[in-house]
Amino acid sequence: MAINVTRWSICLLVLLSILPSVFGLYFYLEGSEQKCFTEELPKETMVTGEYTAEEWSEEHNKFILNKEVGIEVIVDELPSGNRIYSQKLSPKGQFKFTSAESGQHAICLFTSTAGWFSSTKIRLNLDLAIRDIMDDATEASDGTLSELAQRVRDLNHKVGDIRREQSYLRDHEREFRDKSEATNGHTVTWTIVQLVVLAITCAWQMRHLRGFFEARKMI
Amino acid sequence: MPSPLSAATSLALMALVALLSVSTISPAVVDATALTYNVAAHERACFYAWNDIPKKKIAFYFAVQSGGSFDIDVDVRDPNQKQLLSLEKERQGDYVFTGNEVGEYSFCFSNDMSTFAEKTVDFEIAVEHEKRAAQMEAAEKGTGPQAHTNAMDESLFRLSGELNQIDRMQKYFKTRENRNFATVISTESRIFWFSLSESALIVVMSAMQVFVVRTFFSSGKRSYV
């Protein structure tokens, strides 16, 4: 596709002017659209989410941080549908919640200020961490040592994540094994039921036909 | 100009993603975010990552955890809308791109193939932070015995790589296990329904047999015997 050089440079300029304030994963929300993410959480685990919401402003022709915009965060426990967290928050910040039960949770984000017919476009940067980030609050960013300490801390968190995942897998596998064995048991049960049905039908058939032929005096 | 794309789909190539860390808020050497999203039937969900410096590595991992036949369509585009990766009905994938362009890279999941099945997709997008590595190098030269910090640096880097490997392997097992679980549930339901329909069939067949035999003998004509 052949594109004009001048058009390209304009595009580049526009692109550079809409640099997101936080790097990381982001997505767009149109109007009151809701985006939900599911997480498998163990019991009583704290989850911290950092987000930045920027609104598209026609006059500046880029995404800007608008203090009026509100982001609502809702966390539901999936099997039961209990709402364990529901908050209206400012466009840039953090939210924390603790899971009560272990299981699937749905974390939903949407703009609370947009009405049904609103056409605001919101760019939402999101980062979820399944641990308490209060430990990171004491960050000192001077010198090599603290950088190494930072890396060690990150490694610690990673190990924590792996351990958590492992215990989830262990529980899930136990469920799987129970289900497997139950299914195995059911194979036998249903086969026996089938045999019983077959035997009864057979007996009924014989009896009926014998009665029929005896009535006809053929036996 | 085509951007070099190195695909790492098999288990053996998982080692390529040694720089990934699972959802850390403070960036070490990478900015990674891992999320799980439910893609509804006929939905197209897109997620974006920003690349500010050319030639940064962008790592993309996804795995379908549940739903239908555990596959989904994937479409990755660079800031110029050029397709970097286009997959149909893929179960899981682990790719590393070199972000040659500055701008917004889009990663889209499309569930057009399902009429009503919704797919749960686990995905992780990470943008490598080369700046950080350079920073650390500069800081090290000024303070402390360089040999010691270098050795520590080296071993921390290796540790990080090994932990990432473990994490990848775990994710692989988790995906497979979800699939196994779904298979067992399906087996259970199949056994139940097939047994029930077989029993019903037996009853119906024997009734039909009796009826047919009766009609043979009850048309009145002894001559049939």
Side-chain angles (χ1 to χ4, degrees):
Chain A
M1 38 180 184
I3 298 188
N4 211 340
V5 177
T6 42
R7 202 147 42 109
W8 250 124
S9 45
I10 292 174
C11 280
L12 200 61
L13 272 171
V14 170
L15 264 178
L16 286 175
S17 66
I18 60 171
L19 271 178
S21 46
V22 179
F23 298 124
L25 182 61
Y26 61 90
F27 50 90
Y28 295 103
L29 289 173
E30 311 258 345
S32 57
E33 189 192 342
Q34 202 183 64
K35 270 232 156 74
C36 292
F37 300 97
T38 41
E39 283 294 334
E40 180 82 35
L41 298 173
K43 207 156 57 161
E44 285 150 22
T45 312
M46 172 163 281
V47 178
T48 316
E50 270 199 13
Y51 66 92
T52 308
E54 291 158 334
E55 189 183 3
W56 176 257
S57 122
E58 284 299 337
E59 49 201 42
H60 299 98
N61 209 30
K62 62 179 183 142
F63 282 97
I64 52 161
L65 202 62
N66 182 0
K67 296 267 183 288
E68 304 297 315
V69 165
I71 296 287
E72 190 160 344
V73 181
I74 288 180
V75 181
D76 289 326
E77 249 174 47
L78 274 183
S80 50
N82 289 341
R83 187 148 288 193
I84 61 175
Y85 183 84
S86 171
Q87 281 276 322
K88 287 192 174 44
L89 302 160
S90 59
K92 183 178 163 88
Q94 251 187 35
F95 62 88
K96 273 194 232 241
F97 66 90
T98 311
S99 64
E101 294 295 323
S102 79
Q104 293 270 36
H105 291 74
I107 302 163
C108 296
L109 294 107
F110 57 97
T111 8
S112 48
T113 45
W116 274 111
F117 300 105
S118 169
S119 59
T120 42
K121 194 165 162 169
I122 304 272
R123 176 164 66 196
L124 193 56
N125 270 282
L126 180 64
D127 204 353
L128 282 178
I130 307 182
R131 58 183 153 83
D132 195 347
I133 65 158
M134 282 307 274
D135 319 327
D136 293 347
T138 55
E139 264 180 48
S141 51
D142 45 275
T144 318
L145 203 58
S146 62
E147 295 220 1
L148 287 177
Q150 177 78 330
R151 284 172 74 181
V152 171
R153 202 199 328 259
D154 286 341
L155 284 179
N156 262 335
H157 288 145
K158 205 185 307 203
V159 169
D161 283 342
I162 291 177
R163 288 283 294 120
R164 191 176 27 87
E165 190 82 23
Q166 254 193 343
S167 58
Y168 158 74
L169 271 180
R170 196 156 76 162
D171 289 336
H172 205 245
E173 204 268 335
R174 191 182 305 138
E175 245 181 79
F176 172 56
R177 162 106 159 241
D178 290 341
K179 192 103 188 127
S180 244
E181 287 182 349
T183 307
N184 190 301
H186 286 160
T187 334
V188 176
T189 315
W190 290 116
T191 315
I192 291 180
V193 165
Q194 260 192 302
L195 285 175
V196 165
V197 167
L198 183 62
I200 292 176
T201 319
C202 205
W204 168 80
Q205 210 178 19
M206 289 309 179
R207 232 198 19 210
H208 186 97
L209 282 178
R210 184 206 288 220
F212 178 70
F213 285 127
E214 271 175 356
R216 296 249 186 292
K217 309 231 179 2
M218 286 183 209
I219 292 186
Chain B
M1 68 194 153
S3 61
L5 165 75
S6 51
T9 43
S10 71
L11 222 115
L13 290 172
M14 286 207 274
L16 259 179
V17 239
L19 289 176
L20 280 176
S21 61
V22 178
S23 55
T24 43
I25 294 208
S26 44
V29 196
V30 284
D31 254 337
T33 313
L35 291 169
T36 311
Y37 186 73
N38 240 355
V39 189
H42 301 293
E43 184 189 345
R44 186 186 161 88
C46 290
F47 298 91
Y48 308 86
W50 188 270
N51 184 17
D52 52 343
I53 301 173
K55 302 272 187 257
K56 264 202 197 171
K57 297 239 182 355
I58 302 175
F60 174 55
Y61 163 81
F62 76 95
V64 184
Q65 295 296 337
S66 73
S69 40
F70 293 80
D71 54 6
I72 200 157
D73 298 336
V74 178
D75 180 36
V76 180
R77 286 173 190 266
D78 75 353
N80 307 333
Q81 295 308 309
K82 186 166 80 100
Q83 231 177 28
L84 291 177
L85 187 68
S86 170
L87 302 163
E88 282 195 20
K89 301 193 193 273
E90 271 299 305
R91 302 222 152 103
Q92 60 184 53
D94 210 343
Y95 301 90
V96 179
F97 312 109
T98 310
N100 286 323
E101 313 282 334
V102 171
E104 179 180 276
Y105 281 79
S106 68
F107 302 84
C108 293
F109 297 103
S110 171
N111 196 14
D112 276 336
M113 89 259 308
S114 305
T115 13
F116 54 85
E118 59 171 25
K119 311 263 163 80
T120 313
V121 185
D122 229 356
F123 65 94
E124 187 176 329
I125 299 170
V127 179
E128 182 197 331
H129 242 229
E130 277 184 41
K131 176 168 77 165
R132 190 69 190 218
Q135 237 176 31
M136 283 200 295
E137 229 183 86
E140 273 161 26
K141 294 208 166 45
T143 58
Q146 193 166 344
H148 282 211
T149 33
N150 274 349
M152 183 106 129
D153 206 26
E154 185 67 38
S155 60
L156 278 183
F157 185 76
R158 253 213 315 270
L159 254 178
S160 177
E162 298 287 331
L163 281 180
N164 279 324
Q165 294 248 50
I166 294 179
D167 187 56
R168 276 281 167 277
M169 190 69 80
Q170 261 196 342
K171 282 199 158 100
Y172 173 75
F173 276 123
K174 178 166 125 161
T175 312
R176 284 188 82 94
E177 223 222 286
N178 279 340
R179 182 98 189 264
N180 289 346
F181 204 86
T183 307
V184 165
I185 291 178
S186 151
T187 307
E188 165 99 42
S189 123
R190 277 186 186 181
I191 289 176
F192 176 72
W193 287 111
F194 274 78
S195 304
L196 219 63
S197 41
E198 263 190 67
S199 308
L201 211 66
I202 285 176
V203 171
V204 164
M205 264 180 46
S206 79
M208 256 180 52
Q209 265 181 338
V210 165
F211 178 69
V212 166
V213 168
R214 277 170 78 114
T215 47
F216 277 165
F217 290 99
S218 60
S219 310
K221 323 282 187 266
R222 290 282 174 83
S223 54
Y224 277 126
V225 177

